[in-house]
Amino acid sequence: LFRFEPSRPAPEVQTRAWLTVSTLPWAWVYVDGQKLPRHTPVVGAVVKPGRHVLELKAGDGRSETMEVNLRPGQRLTVSHAFR
């Protein structure tokens, strides 16, 4: 006897990652020099996996720059309090 099983779809390859950013006070968020469309809190911004430069610019002129490295499918949360 032969049993035929339905073919299974190939596992989905994640080609994106998600970034959530919160700051105190609020700040504009730049990813690789590109300003996101809204200030913090930013929830679930879709970005490509890999290394990115994240810059946070508060309304009073303070800023913070950091590098993040996102894996495919990763959901990263960044929290920052300006001092």
Side-chain angles (χ1 to χ4, degrees), residues 2 4 17 26 29 34 36 41 44 52 62 72 77:
F2 290 99
F4 292 96
W26 67 268
V29 179
Q34 293 191 326
L36 297 185
H52 298 281
R62 292 179 287 177
T77 299

Side-chain angles (χ1 to χ4, degrees), residues 47-82:
V47 295
K48 290 183 179 181
R51 292 189 186 278
H52 298 281
V53 174
L54 184 65
E55 187 172 5
L56 310 173
K57 293 184 179 181
D60 62 6
R62 292 179 287 177
S63 67
E64 179 72 24
T65 301
M66 62 192 74
E67 186 174 291
V68 295
N69 189 13
L70 294 138
R71 295 181 310 277
Q74 182 179 2
R75 295 177 186 272
L76 177 67
T77 299
V78 174
S79 298
H80 180 73
F82 289 95

Side-chain angles (χ1 to χ4, degrees), residues 15-37:
T15 57
R16 58 188 172 176
W18 293 267
L19 184 62
T20 295
V21 182
S22 63
T23 61
L24 189 63
W26 67 268
W28 290 104
V29 179
Y30 294 77
V31 178
D32 300 328
Q34 293 191 326
K35 185 178 179 181
L36 297 185

